[in-house]
Amino acid sequence: MMSSNVAFSSLTEQNIMGSGGECEWNEGKEKVLERVKLFPQRKEPPLYWVMELIECLSSLNVRLPSPEFAELLVSHLCFDYNHPSLWKFLQQALSSRLLFPLQVLSLLSCRIIPLRHCQPEAYRLFLELLRQYALSFDPNVADSCKLKIINSVDTALQLSRTYNISVLELGHVFVLFFHSIVTALIDSTLDDWGIQMKPCEEPFSNPKSDLYMDIDPNVTHSIKRNEYREQIRKRNSFMALEVLERLTESRKATILLQSVLLNMPEKFNCLLQRIRFLESPELPCSELKLANPVLTKVLSNIHRVSDFEFHLDKNRLVGILVDVGSFNSLLRCNYSSRQSPCWVPFDIYMENAMDSKQLPTKSAIDVLTEGIKTLHTFNQASWQETFLALWLSALRLVQRERDPPEGPIPHLEARLSVLLSIVPLAIANVLKDEVEHNSSSVQVSMASEFRSEMERKSVDSRKHGLILSVQVLGHFSSLLCPPDLVVGAANHAATKAACFIYNSVNGEDGSGTGIHSCNYTRAGGNLRHLIVEACIARKLMDTSVYFWPGYVSTSAVSLPDAAPVEKSPWSAFLEGTLLNDPLINSLMVTPASSLAEIEKLYYIALNGSETERVAAAKILCSASLSCGWYIQEHVVHYVVKLLLFLVPPSHSGSWSHLVDNMSVLSAILLGVSSVDTVHIISLHGLVPTVAASLMPLCEAFGSLKPTLNSTGDEPSTYMAFSLAFLFLIRLWKFYRPPLDHCVTGGGALEGELTLEYLLSLHNNRVKSFQDELTSHKDSSESAFLKPVFIDSFPKLRAWYCQYKSCLASAISGLSTGNSVHQVANKILSMIYWKMTKGGALSSNSSTSSNACSPFLSVGEDGYQRPILPAWEVLEALPFVLEAILTACVHGQLSSRDLTTGLRDLVDFLPASLAAIIGYFSSEVTRGVWKLVPMNGIDWPSPAATLQSVESEIKAILAAVGVDVPNCSSGISPVMLPLPMAALVSLTITFKLEKSQEYIHAVAGAALENCASNCPWPSMPIIGSLWAQKVRRWHNFIVVSCSRSVFRHNKDCVTQLLRSCFSSFPWNKMCFSLQVDCRI
């Protein structure tokens, strides 16, 4: 046991060689050997043995990695004491840097490959080690150890004799070792299949192989009697080919083999001779047919060496040879344009997915799954390189949000969801798809057995590439720095790993939740710790990654300030603690960590008491949804499932079930209304499903009259309807400029959606899902997924038709006796009473009692709020809005009273904001209303910030070569169309509160879209007004205004494109490009 529990990773890297180290080793190696012999008898994990050996070697002043111990262990393992636990110990020693992989594999190859027939188990284990460590190379070795390693490898593989050179450098040894291993595996496989060829050089063999065969007759006799070992032998031949495929597909291997091609072409030609021999169609070998898919890839990988073009700076050649283990070495190689991998689509897609103006209807998981496979094939890259590029793109996505302009856009939570939820799920799909693809073709007899083994290895190759990619992420420290929001979570993840190591070493519970915990502030957590936890949660990795060198800091493992673990509120919840206020508050800010916690919460939301159900709904839609990255897909699933289960399966006209669940539904809808949360739901591809679940809620709550006896603590019918309705139109993106409807013809071009299109997507998914359940004989999940059609909701359909009619043409007048006229009259009476309850109307408006004629009747009881279903209010609102705008034009209603009346409408029925936006945006497009001065008297003035905003816009655009005219002359007041002025005046009256985010999310996007549809000065004017209201949004507003100029001015688009192409540094690139320009 190590004294003071010094960090394991630090111990393995320190130099501990004394002046008498060799003498002490000679005296103490027997002691070390005896300890190794006793290891299998002890019921302890191999990690414990490694820790003990490190302490023992430290006492003998032996440097690590130890060449002496490597020779001692391999000679003992082959084959005096060939115990399976020692092979596990050997693997742990390699991963812990106790031994140098190049030396160990060389020693094993010269002993095991010649004896692979009589030691098939050892050969199989050797191939597994070769798969994992053949390309693992760390040049940071002490000079004294380096020389011993070089001599040991040279002696084992006979490199000096085979290649007729004097090996002097460790990098040279690595190149020749790899070539020797590739050649040896091909030769051994040919020999196993009984294929004879006359190579141009001596096959790889060990001079001592005959001696081993002579002294081991019992093993030979045992092989003849053991059919199981015979099967292992046959499988080993296929496994050797799979290992070859895994090794040669990497660019590292390509560079190593091309180094042989450039410096020793005759040796590489001998390898090519073997390849051409295998490609011969005359070979009568049944095994070749079974192994043809893998063999084809191996041959293609080796042929690629001759075609692989790259350009090396003289100072970088050595770096590539001796630092292949780091991904940075790949970046040192300046490939030609045909070979350079292109990973930019990852970055482009992820950043585009964060665009608040778009809610993707297709799951980002599915898109990335296809993108990973496509770019892997297109770039001809290894899986390690592919997954590493994916992780780096996701990390850059997060880091771009470190200092963002603050505004109503998706921020860090949505970006972290991409990194820690979407990307791991996409990778899981890639691994799953490989299993399903391979299992779809089934062979019979021995071919089936071999193919099953090959399928497993193919998946292992992808999984191993994933693990290596996450391990290499440690080199990108600048990208791993956690944002402030997740510093605590990152430290918690690092602490969990440290506790796991500590408890494993001390024989305690290795779960990381034992009696010891670490001070989070000293854990040194980063984003890689969160990535690892996300992968472990989805079974893409296991906890062995905690023992990576440097993964956990020394101070965290030493635990000088060990303290009892703080009990999670979720543990108390699972143990049965009642949902009181303190526990509810804790659960809302602490993400759930397991599916069991979410499932219990879900069933409480369904079957608990009224108070418990509301509390459960709030908890489900809080931190567990936004920050529960490790189980986020399950949380999103249960939130949507809860919405669907609370809706009755048949809409027979009775909505009592929904009314009973109004409080729970309102809590859910309010909980998921934030910009980030809606975006997270869309990233999981559930926009169509959520839209379908909201339609019966809108139909039900909009058809009910509000009650007069509702308390402030209970959601009103109007509020429940508004939450559902505004959420629905957010998913639909109905507030885009009406001109877009005309251009796209109501379809779904350019990413725009319609209500019909969303329902079509939902119904297609329902059909696919039901077919899948039928094929699996499982209908338990199909009850809550039903096709949805707009004709099933007559009130919603009627409003939708009216909305589209308003877009197509101006509204027509109503007869006095019409029911819609009566509703409009009541609403105008309410607005008029609100305007005059404090006295007369504003001075610049008429005091006539029929200011809003022809709808306002003097005899109406104006102070009484109308008790009407929400659908009836929405149906009458276009006529109300036309009346008050007309009154304002004729001076019968002041601009201030107009804004007050609009705000009263929104306070009365928040969903009326949709009607206001729809009507005003269509009227702005028609251009029939007069322009009004934004002078600070009649309408708010942007003068205080307009010049500043204008200059910043011009500076941003000038930087990219675009010139725009001034917004104003600076003398006369700026002007806006009356509907636009009314809309912006209304929006700046809203308070920026969390509870009002469901309103801001609709109003903000609609205002920007409507402004961008007005003549160019409109957007800077509106941006200036909002910059005065919310100063911290200034940068976001300026950027948005700068972007809008391209919607109005084609010349600006031309200038931007010309600037992009003219400024591209063709002649300043640091690497040569071979561009074939064919347009």
Side-chain angles (χ1 to χ4, degrees):
M1 178 61 61
M2 295 186 301
S3 58
S4 70
N5 293 320
V6 180
F8 171 67
S9 59
S10 298
L11 260 179
T12 61
E13 297 175 358
Q14 63 180 337
N15 295 328
I16 52 177
M17 185 71 175
S19 59
E22 292 188 12
C23 296
E24 293 184 35
W25 167 253
N26 293 332
E27 296 174 358
K29 66 179 181 180
E30 293 299 328
K31 175 184 175 183
V32 173
L33 181 58
E34 289 301 321
R35 184 169 297 194
V36 170
K37 291 179 180 178
L38 293 176
F39 281 160
Q41 303 175 16
R42 297 158 54 178
K43 304 298 182 182
E44 296 167 342
L47 173 66
Y48 187 91
W49 307 347
V50 173
M51 305 280 282
E52 186 174 324
L53 252 297
I54 290 175
E55 186 176 11
C56 179
L57 294 175
S58 300
S59 66
L60 298 175
N61 291 330
V62 176
R63 287 185 183 272
L64 301 180
S66 171
E68 298 88 351
F69 179 65
E71 294 190 349
L72 178 67
L73 179 61
V74 172
S75 62
H76 179 63
L77 189 62
C78 302
F79 296 93
D80 295 334
Y81 204 68
N82 187 12
H83 195 279
S85 60
L86 283 185
W87 283 93
K88 295 180 181 179
F89 165 71
L90 177 62
Q91 183 177 19
Q92 185 68 57
L94 288 172
S95 64
S96 305
R97 298 183 185 178
L98 176 62
L99 303 174
F100 199 73
L102 173 61
Q103 181 194 14
V104 171
L105 294 176
S106 299
L107 294 173
L108 289 173
S109 64
C110 71
R111 288 168 168 81
I112 294 178
I113 293 180
L115 298 179
R116 62 188 181 278
H117 296 122
C118 57
Q119 295 289 345
E121 298 90 349
Y123 184 47
R124 183 179 187 84
L125 295 172
F126 164 71
L127 290 175
E128 288 286 358
L129 292 178
L130 200 62
R131 181 200 301 270
Q132 296 181 45
Y133 298 104
L135 291 173
S136 177
F137 182 69
D138 184 1
N140 300 319
V141 181
D143 291 339
S144 58
C145 293
K146 185 180 297 184
L147 182 59
K148 294 177 182 178
I149 291 172
I150 291 173
N151 292 333
S152 177
V153 175
D154 186 24
T155 303
L157 300 181
Q158 300 293 309
L159 298 179
S160 299
R161 181 178 65 86
T162 303
Y163 295 95
N164 195 25
I165 62 171
S166 177
V167 180
L168 298 176
E169 296 293 339
L170 192 59
H172 299 158
V173 172
F174 184 43
V175 173
L176 300 180
F177 155 79
F178 187 77
H179 180 267
S180 300
I181 286 297
V182 172
T183 304
L185 290 180
I186 293 176
D187 288 344
S188 61
T189 303
L190 289 174
D191 182 63
D192 292 343
W193 290 344
I195 301 175
Q196 300 295 327
M197 68 167 289
K198 185 179 181 181
C200 61
E201 63 181 3
E202 181 183 351
F204 180 88
S205 61
N206 181 20
K208 300 180 181 180
S209 60
D210 294 338
L211 175 61
Y212 279 109
M213 294 294 290
D214 291 340
I215 65 173
D216 200 11
N218 292 330
V219 175
T220 305
H221 179 67
S222 176
I223 293 175
K224 294 179 180 178
R225 294 183 293 106
N226 195 330
E227 293 183 359
Y228 172 71
R229 301 186 80 188
E230 180 64 25
Q231 291 180 354
I232 294 179
R233 286 192 206 93
K234 293 179 180 180
R235 291 175 182 171
N236 283 347
S237 301
F238 289 89
M239 184 175 180
L241 278 183
E242 293 163 8
V243 171
L244 267 176
E245 179 202 353
R246 168 72 179 84
L247 297 181
T248 56
E249 72 178 356
S250 170
R251 278 193 173 84
K252 303 174 186 178
T254 304
I255 294 174
L256 292 174
L257 291 178
Q258 194 173 58
S259 298
V260 178
L261 171 63
L262 296 175
N263 296 280
M264 300 178 182
E266 70 283 357
K267 295 297 181 182
F268 187 79
N269 288 336
C270 291
L271 178 60
L272 285 181
Q273 179 181 344
R274 292 169 167 84
I275 298 302
R276 295 190 184 102
F277 179 75
L278 285 172
E279 290 176 329
S280 174
E282 290 81 12
L283 290 178
C285 181
S286 59
E287 287 84 356
L288 275 177
K289 296 180 181 179
L290 295 176
N292 185 64
V294 178
L295 184 60
T296 302
K297 293 180 181 179
V298 173
L299 302 182
S300 174
N301 292 339
I302 296 179
H303 279 305
R304 189 178 59 183
V305 174
S306 302
D307 302 329
F308 190 75
E309 298 178 7
F310 62 94
H311 306 282
L312 290 172
D313 291 343
K314 290 183 291 185
N315 295 332
R316 296 176 178 177
L317 177 58
V318 177
I320 287 183
L321 292 178
V322 301
D323 193 24
V324 187
S326 170
F327 183 78
N328 290 336
S329 64
L330 298 178
L331 303 181
R332 293 188 179 119
C333 188
N334 296 322
Y335 303 99
S336 68
S337 60
R338 290 182 299 167
Q339 295 292 338
S340 179
C342 178
W343 305 110
V344 175
F346 283 147
D347 294 85
I348 293 176
Y349 171 73
M350 290 181 186
E351 191 60 46
N352 188 61
M354 292 297 104
D355 187 356
S356 60
K357 297 181 178 61
Q358 300 182 37
L359 288 179
T361 57
K362 185 174 182 179
S363 168
I365 302 168
D366 296 337
V367 175
L368 278 180
T369 299
E370 295 303 317
I372 292 169
K373 293 185 290 188
T374 300
L375 291 180
H376 170 260
T377 302
F378 177 80
N379 290 319
Q380 298 180 5
S382 67
W383 284 110
Q384 177 187 351
E385 293 168 315
T386 304
F387 290 136
L388 179 59
L390 180 67
W391 289 123
L392 293 178
S393 296
L395 285 169
R396 285 192 290 267
L397 181 76
V398 172
Q399 295 301 335
R400 282 193 290 270
E401 191 66 15
R402 294 193 71 88
D403 189 22
E406 185 173 350
I409 53 177
H411 281 303
L412 196 57
E413 289 179 354
R415 292 173 182 259
L416 285 168
S417 293
V418 172
L419 173 66
L420 302 174
S421 180
I422 302 300
V423 168
L425 289 170
I427 293 175
N429 280 352
V430 171
L431 301 182
K432 178 183 177 183
D433 289 348
E434 178 67 10
V435 175
E436 294 177 350
H437 173 72
N438 288 334
S439 60
S440 62
S441 56
V442 180
Q443 302 287 339
V444 294
S445 66
M446 186 180 296
S448 176
E449 184 179 0
F450 288 146
R451 183 167 297 277
S452 176
E453 184 72 11
M454 291 164 63
E455 290 168 5
R456 185 182 67 82
K457 295 303 180 184
S458 178
V459 177
D460 288 347
S461 174
R462 296 190 180 193
K463 197 167 187 177
H464 186 63
L466 168 64
I467 294 172
L468 290 178
S469 70
V470 177
Q471 191 169 14
V472 170
L473 279 180
H475 296 287
F476 299 87
S477 56
S478 60
L479 289 177
L480 296 176
C481 182
D484 292 340
L485 178 66
V486 293
V487 167
N491 286 334
H492 181 272
T495 300
K496 178 182 177 182
C499 293
F500 185 91
I501 296 175
Y502 181 89
N503 293 333
S504 297
V505 172
N506 288 275
E508 299 172 2
D509 178 19
S511 63
T513 57
I515 61 172
H516 296 290
S517 180
C518 305
N519 187 343
Y520 288 176
T521 60
R522 299 185 58 186
N526 57 36
L527 291 178
R528 186 169 71 142
H529 293 99
L530 295 177
I531 290 173
V532 166
E533 292 302 317
C535 291
I536 292 176
R538 293 171 175 86
K539 295 181 172 55
L540 303 177
M541 299 180 182
D542 56 41
T543 51
S544 64
V545 301
Y546 291 160
F547 301 104
W548 284 344
Y551 182 75
V552 178
S553 64
T554 302
S555 59
V557 179
S558 60
L559 294 175
D561 52 354
V565 174
E566 182 180 354
K567 189 174 182 180
S568 168
W570 288 100
S571 299
F573 171 68
L574 285 180
E575 292 170 1
T577 304
L578 296 179
L579 285 175
N580 50 40
D581 289 342
L583 181 59
I584 292 173
N585 294 334
S586 297
L587 295 178
M588 288 184 68
V589 298
T590 307
S593 58
S594 70
L595 181 58
E597 297 163 351
I598 296 300
E599 287 178 340
K600 180 176 180 180
L601 203 61
Y602 168 75
Y603 287 112
I604 291 177
L606 275 183
N607 306 314
S609 64
E610 184 69 15
T611 304
E612 289 177 334
R613 296 176 66 210
V614 173
K618 291 180 179 179
I619 296 169
L620 195 63
C621 299
S622 54
S624 296
L625 178 57
S626 60
C627 301
W629 309 296
Y630 311 145
I631 55 171
Q632 190 175 73
E633 66 274 21
H634 300 295
V635 181
V636 171
H637 170 76
Y638 277 112
V639 168
V640 176
K641 188 175 179 180
L642 192 59
L643 279 176
L644 293 168
F645 268 167
L646 292 178
V647 178
S650 61
H651 314 297
S652 58
S654 174
W655 301 103
S656 59
H657 179 79
L658 287 178
V659 174
D660 294 339
N661 292 297
M662 184 185 298
S663 299
V664 181
L665 290 168
S666 298
I668 295 173
L669 296 174
L670 191 60
V672 299
S673 63
S674 71
V675 174
D676 275 291
T677 304
V678 173
H679 219 78
I680 289 170
I681 292 174
S682 73
L683 289 173
H684 286 270
L686 292 175
V687 166
T689 305
V690 174
S693 69
L694 292 173
M695 294 179 69
L697 304 183
C698 295
E699 185 75 13
F701 296 141
S703 303
L704 299 174
K705 289 185 177 182
T707 57
L708 297 176
N709 56 355
S710 60
T711 66
D713 296 332
E714 298 176 355
S716 66
T717 304
Y718 277 178
M719 177 57 68
F721 169 78
S722 298
L723 288 170
F725 185 68
L726 293 180
F727 196 1
L728 175 63
I729 64 175
R730 283 174 70 183
L731 302 182
W732 165 27
K733 292 289 185 183
F734 91 108
Y735 41 71
R736 67 186 188 276
L739 182 61
D740 288 357
H741 290 269
C742 301
V743 173
T744 62
L749 300 179
E750 299 181 359
E752 303 293 356
L753 304 178
T754 63
L755 200 54
E756 296 94 340
Y757 181 60
L758 281 179
L759 291 182
S760 176
L761 289 176
H762 168 73
N763 294 340
N764 288 338
R765 293 183 184 182
V766 169
K767 179 66 167 58
S768 300
F769 184 68
Q770 290 177 341
D771 291 343
E772 182 180 350
L773 291 177
T774 302
S775 63
H776 289 81
K777 308 299 182 182
D778 180 13
S779 59
S780 58
E781 290 287 324
S782 62
F784 71 97
L785 274 179
K786 299 291 183 183
V788 176
F789 303 96
I790 195 170
D791 290 339
S792 302
F793 312 101
K795 298 290 187 181
L796 176 61
R797 182 170 57 85
W799 174 86
Y800 186 54
C801 292
Q802 183 197 41
Y803 166 74
K804 292 194 291 185
S805 298
C806 289
L807 292 181
S809 61
I811 60 175
S812 58
L814 294 175
S815 59
T816 306
N818 189 287
S819 60
V820 178
H821 176 280
Q822 296 174 4
V823 173
N825 198 5
K826 293 180 181 180
I827 296 173
L828 284 169
S829 299
M830 177 193 70
I831 295 175
Y832 180 77
W833 176 81
K834 293 279 288 185
M835 292 177 187
T836 58
K837 66 178 180 179
L841 294 174
S842 299
S843 58
N844 66 337
S845 64
S846 171
T847 57
S848 171
S849 61
N850 59 348
C852 295
S853 174
F855 290 107
L856 181 58
S857 300
V858 179
E860 289 288 340
D861 188 7
Y863 66 88
Q864 181 68 49
R865 284 197 168 192
I867 304 176
L868 298 167
W871 286 124
E872 294 184 15
V873 175
L874 290 181
E875 185 182 14
L877 277 182
F879 304 98
V880 173
L881 296 172
E882 185 185 40
I884 59 178
L885 280 185
T886 303
C888 185
V889 168
H890 291 88
Q892 297 173 326
L893 191 66
S894 71
S895 57
R896 181 170 301 178
D897 290 331
L898 172 62
T899 303
T900 302
L902 294 175
R903 180 57 194 266
D904 290 339
L905 270 178
V906 176
D907 291 340
F908 170 61
L909 176 63
S912 63
L913 179 63
I916 295 172
I917 292 171
Y919 177 78
F920 282 175
S921 60
S922 18
E923 293 302 307
V924 166
T925 304
R926 292 188 184 98
V928 298
W929 297 91
K930 71 174 185 177
L931 299 177
V932 295
M934 310 300 291
N935 53 15
I937 301 174
D938 301 306
W939 299 93
S941 171
T945 57
L946 181 58
Q947 289 187 353
S948 172
V949 170
E950 178 186 357
S951 62
E952 291 182 52
I953 292 173
K954 290 180 69 67
I956 291 174
L957 295 175
V960 294
V962 177
D963 183 34
V964 293
N966 292 332
C967 299
S968 64
S969 62
I971 301 175
S972 60
V974 293
M975 311 280 281
L976 286 178
L978 175 59
M980 188 74 257
L983 183 59
V984 68
S985 299
L986 169 64
T987 58
I988 61 178
T989 65
F990 296 142
K991 294 182 179 180
L992 293 179
E993 297 176 349
K994 186 71 175 178
S995 60
Q996 299 292 311
E997 194 163 1
Y998 73 101
I999 290 180
H1000 290 295
V1002 175
L1007 184 64
E1008 183 177 354
N1009 277 285
C1010 189
S1012 64
N1013 204 47
C1014 292
W1016 159 240
S1018 299
M1019 191 65 180
I1021 295 169
I1022 294 169
S1024 299
L1025 290 171
W1026 264 91
Q1028 292 172 194
K1029 175 180 174 63
V1030 191
R1031 296 185 183 275
R1032 65 180 185 273
W1033 286 8
H1034 182 88
N1035 292 339
F1036 165 77
I1037 290 171
V1038 170
V1039 173
S1040 298
C1041 292
S1042 303
R1043 188 172 55 237
S1044 68
V1045 68
F1046 300 105
R1047 291 182 60 95
H1048 305 93
N1049 196 325
K1050 292 182 179 180
D1051 291 337
C1052 291
V1053 177
T1054 304
Q1055 294 176 38
L1056 178 63
L1057 292 174
R1058 183 181 295 113
S1059 176
C1060 290
F1061 284 100
S1062 62
S1063 62
F1064 194 84
W1066 294 99
N1067 299 321
K1068 299 179 181 180
M1069 299 181 70
C1070 61
F1071 53 91
S1072 62
L1073 288 174
Q1074 299 176 0
V1075 182
D1076 185 10
C1077 297
R1078 296 186 178 94
I1079 301 178

